[in-house]
PDB file of all heavy atoms in Angstrom:
ATOM      1  N   ARG N 264      46.167 232.904 133.154  1.00 71.00           N
ATOM      2  CA  ARG N 264      46.556 233.021 131.801  1.00 71.00           C
ATOM      3  C   ARG N 264      45.440 232.294 130.915  1.00 71.00           C
ATOM      4  O   ARG N 264      45.318 232.621 129.762  1.00 71.00           O
ATOM      5  CB  ARG N 264      47.825 232.301 131.480  1.00 71.00           C
ATOM      6  CG  ARG N 264      49.039 232.941 132.254  1.00 71.00           C
ATOM      7  CD  ARG N 264      50.258 232.098 132.096  1.00 71.00           C
ATOM      8  NE  ARG N 264      51.296 232.542 132.994  1.00 71.00           N
ATOM      9  CZ  ARG N 264      52.446 231.940 133.193  1.00 71.00           C
ATOM     10  NH1 ARG N 264      52.715 230.871 132.595  1.00 71.00           N
ATOM     11  NH2 ARG N 264      53.389 232.348 134.054  1.00 71.00           N
ATOM     12  N   ARG N 265      44.661 231.347 131.486  1.00 75.00           N
ATOM     13  CA  ARG N 265      43.600 230.729 130.775  1.00 75.00           C
ATOM     14  C   ARG N 265      42.240 231.207 131.066  1.00 75.00           C
ATOM     15  O   ARG N 265      41.246 230.700 130.532  1.00 75.00           O
ATOM     16  CB  ARG N 265      43.748 229.237 130.996  1.00 75.00           C
ATOM     17  CG  ARG N 265      45.031 228.518 130.616  1.00 75.00           C
ATOM     18  CD  ARG N 265      45.060 227.129 130.937  1.00 75.00           C
ATOM     19  NE  ARG N 265      44.047 226.264 130.425  1.00 75.00           N
ATOM     20  CZ  ARG N 265      43.571 225.067 130.888  1.00 75.00           C
ATOM     21  NH1 ARG N 265      44.207 224.580 131.875  1.00 75.00           N
ATOM     22  NH2 ARG N 265      42.626 224.566 130.215  1.00 75.00           N
ATOM     23  N   LYS N 266      42.133 232.127 132.006  1.00 82.00           N
ATOM     24  CA  LYS N 266      40.810 232.593 132.445  1.00 82.00           C
ATOM     25  C   LYS N 266      40.245 233.805 131.840  1.00 82.00           C
ATOM     26  O   LYS N 266      39.089 234.121 132.133  1.00 82.00           O
ATOM     27  CB  LYS N 266      40.967 232.803 134.056  1.00 82.00           C
ATOM     28  CG  LYS N 266      41.184 231.604 134.830  1.00 82.00           C
ATOM     29  CD  LYS N 266      39.910 230.810 134.968  1.00 82.00           C
ATOM     30  CE  LYS N 266      40.069 229.775 136.054  1.00 82.00           C
ATOM     31  NZ  LYS N 266      39.930 230.270 137.294  1.00 82.00           N
ATOM     32  N   GLY N 267      40.979 234.488 131.078  1.00 86.00           N
ATOM     33  CA  GLY N 267      40.506 235.763 130.526  1.00 86.00           C
ATOM     34  C   GLY N 267      40.633 236.922 131.476  1.00 86.00           C
ATOM     35  O   GLY N 267      41.622 237.112 132.026  1.00 86.00           O
ATOM     36  N   TYR N 268      39.544 237.681 131.636  1.00 91.00           N
ATOM     37  CA  TYR N 268      39.617 238.956 132.468  1.00 91.00           C
ATOM     38  C   TYR N 268      39.209 238.945 133.860  1.00 91.00           C
ATOM     39  O   TYR N 268      39.042 239.910 134.607  1.00 91.00           O
ATOM     40  CB  TYR N 268      38.774 239.951 131.686  1.00 91.00           C
ATOM     41  CG  TYR N 268      39.220 240.232 130.232  1.00 91.00           C
ATOM     42  CD1 TYR N 268      38.330 239.737 129.219  1.00 91.00           C
ATOM     43  CD2 TYR N 268      40.356 240.736 129.906  1.00 91.00           C
ATOM     44  CE1 TYR N 268      38.751 239.974 127.820  1.00 91.00           C
ATOM     45  CE2 TYR N 268      40.739 240.886 128.669  1.00 91.00           C
ATOM     46  CZ  TYR N 268      39.973 240.515 127.573  1.00 91.00           C
ATOM     47  OH  TYR N 268      40.340 240.749 126.383  1.00 91.00           O
ATOM     48  N   ALA N 269      38.997 237.663 134.438  1.00 93.00           N
ATOM     49  CA  ALA N 269      38.706 237.521 135.791  1.00 93.00           C
ATOM     50  C   ALA N 269      39.255 236.093 136.360  1.00 93.00           C
ATOM     51  O   ALA N 269      39.155 235.185 135.565  1.00 93.00           O
ATOM     52  CB  ALA N 269      37.227 237.729 136.094  1.00 93.00           C
ATOM     53  N   ASN N 270      39.661 236.123 137.608  1.00 93.00           N
ATOM     54  CA  ASN N 270      40.290 234.847 138.128  1.00 93.00           C
ATOM     55  C   ASN N 270      39.873 234.658 139.506  1.00 93.00           C
ATOM     56  O   ASN N 270      40.733 234.476 140.453  1.00 93.00           O
ATOM     57  CB  ASN N 270      41.795 234.851 137.921  1.00 93.00           C
ATOM     58  CG  ASN N 270      42.354 233.556 138.443  1.00 93.00           C
ATOM     59  OD1 ASN N 270      41.765 232.414 138.222  1.00 93.00           O
ATOM     60  ND2 ASN N 270      43.481 233.520 139.120  1.00 93.00           N
ATOM     61  N   PRO N 271      38.447 234.577 139.774  1.00 96.00           N
ATOM     62  CA  PRO N 271      38.136 234.171 141.206  1.00 96.00           C
ATOM     63  C   PRO N 271      38.293 232.659 141.475  1.00 96.00           C
ATOM     64  O   PRO N 271      38.699 231.900 140.495  1.00 96.00           O
ATOM     65  CB  PRO N 271      36.547 234.551 141.148  1.00 96.00           C
ATOM     66  CG  PRO N 271      36.176 234.326 139.803  1.00 96.00           C
ATOM     67  CD  PRO N 271      37.387 234.772 138.972  1.00 96.00           C
ATOM     68  N   ILE N 272      38.007 232.202 142.609  1.00 97.00           N
ATOM     69  CA  ILE N 272      38.030 230.873 142.995  1.00 97.00           C
ATOM     70  C   ILE N 272      36.882 230.068 142.305  1.00 97.00           C
ATOM     71  O   ILE N 272      35.734 230.515 142.473  1.00 97.00           O
ATOM     72  CB  ILE N 272      38.043 230.653 144.478  1.00 97.00           C
ATOM     73  CG1 ILE N 272      39.297 231.283 145.103  1.00 97.00           C
ATOM     74  CG2 ILE N 272      37.961 229.149 144.834  1.00 97.00           C
ATOM     75  CD1 ILE N 272      39.253 231.304 146.638  1.00 97.00           C
TER      76      ILE N 272
END
Side-chain angles (χ1 to χ4, degrees):
R264 299 172 191 174
R265 298 176 59 197
K266 288 287 195 75
Y268 301 112
N270 183 37
I272 296 174

